[in-house]
Amino acid sequence: RLLAEDDSEAKVGESNGFWLSEVDFVSSASEVAPTLRDLEKLGFPRDWPAVYTQSAALKTLIGRRGRLPGKKVAVAGVPTPEEWAQVPQLSYCPLQSLANAERAAAAGQGLQVVRGWALFERLDRDPGEAFVAERYWWVALSDGRWVDVSPRPLAWPQLLLAESTGAGADPGEAAGSAGPRRRSRLTAAEAEFNK
């Protein structure tokens, strides 16, 4: 179920919001962009944390000089009860991390939106060979701890998150592009992609 920015159910051609599309996924592999089938083969990076320093593919994606340079990388687990107590108790939707983070920060006290990427390894490839980054937002508590309020599959109890240095952090903006696409009307293609 997709929610529009007014918390109503999203309707194609009518609802405004942040919607994932192909431009919100970046691959370290040679293919242009991952397909929907590829997304089923993603998981937490194997051999963590060694893969962070040993994988050339991961470095070219999120290293200092990578396609999506990050200023901070951390593993986020499922929020603890203490962390959940510090975020607004709203309906959060899968595949809508951008809207979830903005809604949480707007309704909560002392929360900041953190813009960046969730990083996954292609589990159908050799370890350390291929990674996919999904444009992803989460919140920082007043003490700086990161909390991901977006629901995710049970198979992903942890996410590798990379805070963006700025390039490509906004929706619809490719790394190094001139500017972001802000909220937009939901298209049929985006509705299908977000199912």
Side-chain angles (χ1 to χ4, degrees):
R1 179 182 125 160
L2 288 175
L3 290 181
E5 64 187 2
D6 64 0
D7 288 339
S8 65
E9 189 158 341
K11 294 181 180 145
V12 172
E14 296 177 25
S15 299
N16 289 321
F18 291 120
W19 321 109
L20 287 179
S21 67
E22 291 84 3
V23 299
D24 296 312
F25 293 87
V26 179
S27 176
S28 67
S30 58
E31 63 262 13
V32 176
T35 66
L36 282 175
R37 279 193 210 121
D38 295 333
L39 301 181
E40 297 171 354
K41 303 166 189 162
L42 302 179
F44 188 79
R46 294 170 284 191
D47 301 325
W48 182 259
V51 70
Y52 186 65
T53 57
Q54 296 172 357
S55 170
L58 188 56
K59 285 180 188 178
T60 61
L61 189 60
I62 62 162
R64 283 183 224 186
R65 291 181 218 115
R67 292 173 64 193
L68 309 169
K71 57 182 167 183
K72 179 180 175 184
V73 175
V75 175
V78 174
T80 65
E82 177 207 346
E83 291 168 339
W84 270 123
Q86 296 180 60
V87 297
Q89 304 306 301
L90 304 171
S91 291
Y92 298 109
C93 296
L95 296 173
Q96 287 192 268
S97 72
L98 288 68
N100 291 338
E102 281 210 338
R103 290 174 57 239
Q109 250 184 344
L111 301 177
Q112 297 291 319
V113 174
V114 183
R115 292 171 174 83
W117 304 89
L119 299 148
F120 303 96
E121 185 168 4
R122 292 277 308 259
L123 301 178
D124 60 332
R125 305 278 179 91
D126 288 337
E129 179 185 302
F131 297 85
V132 172
E134 173 191 347
R135 190 179 319 276
Y136 206 87
W137 295 357
W138 57 97
V139 294
L141 301 177
S142 58
D143 64 6
R145 282 182 292 162
W146 287 356
V147 176
D148 174 27
V149 297
S150 295
R152 57 182 178 242
L154 294 175
W156 294 349
Q158 296 180 310
L159 286 182
L160 180 59
L161 301 175
E163 182 178 8
S164 176
T165 60
D170 283 322
E173 177 185 9
S177 73
R181 171 197 77 208
R182 294 302 296 165
R183 289 176 173 82
S184 65
R185 289 210 192 287
L186 181 64
T187 66
E190 290 166 333
E192 183 64 27
F193 192 86
N194 285 274
K195 280 188 175 178

